[in-house]
């Protein structure tokens, strides 16, 4: 299989001056090819045209999604944020034990309230659950952080966790007030639905 990609990596031309090197680094394209026992990348610097081959670590695809690791369960339910009752809009992921956790965040100056709450909750590097709604991004709202923290409290209560051990996320329409009542009703249901095979249901709930 081959996958085309763009990578901001150094062009393999050590003799270039810093200024020229920066120009060459701005466009590097490659194709990654995986065989039975090995994998490699062919990189082509967009400005120089040189092609170099690098070995990369081979990998094995593991079925099970977010619940593939032992001790993880997940679920996805419809709580009422979306009007379409056939569309799940609330995802829950739970770990039986506290996990070492970290986050990678947008550099955009405009950040959704869940990002701000999650960053605070991850200051100690520990998390045990993720709650995410779709249909409403909880962004650019005056009460956004309050609602995001409330989602953590609701989830913590349903799972017997400290709210600060919950990662919260929201995706959907920007600028609309997030109704908290559907989440208050939906999280306990999602907690009951948690299971080892719930990865796909959780994924569908955030799409």
């Amino acid at each position: 299989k081959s996958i085309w990609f763009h990578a901001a990596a150094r062009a393999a031309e050590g003799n270039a001056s810093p200024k020229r090197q920066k120009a060459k680094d701005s466009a590097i394209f490659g194709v990654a090819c995986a065989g039975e026992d090995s994998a490699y990348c062919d990189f082509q610097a967009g400005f120089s045209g040189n092609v170099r081959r690098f070995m990369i670590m081979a990998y094995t695809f593991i079925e099970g999604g977010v619940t593939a690791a032992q001790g993880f369960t997940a679920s996805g339910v419809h709580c009422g944020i979306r009007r379409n009752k056939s569309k799940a809009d609330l995802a829950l992921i739970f770990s039986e034990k506290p996990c070492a956790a970290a986050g990678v965040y947008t550099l955009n100056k405009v950040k959704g309230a869940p990002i701000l709450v999650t960053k605070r909750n991850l200051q100690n590097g520990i998390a045990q659950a993720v709650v995410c709604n779709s249909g409403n991004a909880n962004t650019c709202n005056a009460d956004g952080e309050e609602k995001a923290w409330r989602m953590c409290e609701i989830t913590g209560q349903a799972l017997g966790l400290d709210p600060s051990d919950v990662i919260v996320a929201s995706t959907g329409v920007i600028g609309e007030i997030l109704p908290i009542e559907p989440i208050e009703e939906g999280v306990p249901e999602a907690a009951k639905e948690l299971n080892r095979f719930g990865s796909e249901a959780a994924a569908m709930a955030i799409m």
Side-chain angles (χ1 to χ4, degrees):
K1 297 181 179 180
S2 299
I3 303 173
W4 281 99
F5 61 92
H6 172 273
R10 284 186 62 84
E13 298 184 22
N15 295 328
S17 67
K19 183 175 292 187
R20 289 187 62 195
Q21 186 67 56
K22 184 176 182 180
K24 291 174 181 176
D25 290 349
S26 64
I28 298 179
F29 300 86
V31 57
C33 304
E36 292 294 330
D37 301 314
S38 64
Y40 61 86
C41 286
D42 281 346
F43 287 97
Q44 179 173 349
F47 289 93
S48 68
N50 289 348
V51 176
R52 301 294 178 91
R53 175 166 290 186
F54 299 90
M55 294 299 298
I56 60 174
M57 184 181 297
Y59 64 90
T60 301
F61 182 81
I62 299 175
E63 299 286 348
V66 74
T67 58
Q70 187 174 358
F72 282 84
T73 53
S75 64
V77 301
H78 174 80
C79 71
I81 296 176
R82 290 181 179 272
R83 295 180 181 178
N84 186 349
K85 294 183 179 181
S86 66
K87 178 70 174 71
D89 53 13
L90 185 66
L92 191 60
I93 303 169
F94 172 66
S95 170
E96 294 176 357
K97 297 182 179 180
C99 300
V104 179
Y105 310 101
T106 178
L107 297 179
N108 197 318
K109 291 183 178 181
V110 178
K111 297 178 175 63
I115 291 179
L116 303 177
V117 173
T118 290
K119 288 182 73 172
R120 288 199 296 267
N121 287 357
L122 285 181
Q123 286 180 348
N124 65 351
I126 299 295
Q128 200 168 346
V130 180
V131 60
C132 177
N133 72 272
S134 60
N136 186 309
N138 192 17
T139 299
C140 299
N141 294 326
D143 62 352
E145 288 190 57
E146 177 185 342
K147 296 283 183 67
W149 174 247
R150 180 62 184 140
M151 288 177 65
C152 295
E153 290 181 326
I154 296 167
T155 304
Q157 184 176 2
L159 299 176
L161 304 177
D162 188 306
S164 64
D165 289 333
V166 178
I167 295 173
V168 59
S170 298
T171 180
V173 179
I174 294 174
E176 289 189 2
I177 300 298
L178 174 67
I180 199 66
E181 294 79 13
I183 296 173
E184 289 176 331
E185 296 178 4
V187 167
E189 179 186 352
K192 293 178 182 178
E193 296 289 331
L194 287 170
N195 68 90
R196 283 295 314 277
F197 307 101
S199 178
E200 184 174 352
M204 294 300 294
I206 67 175
M207 294 179 64

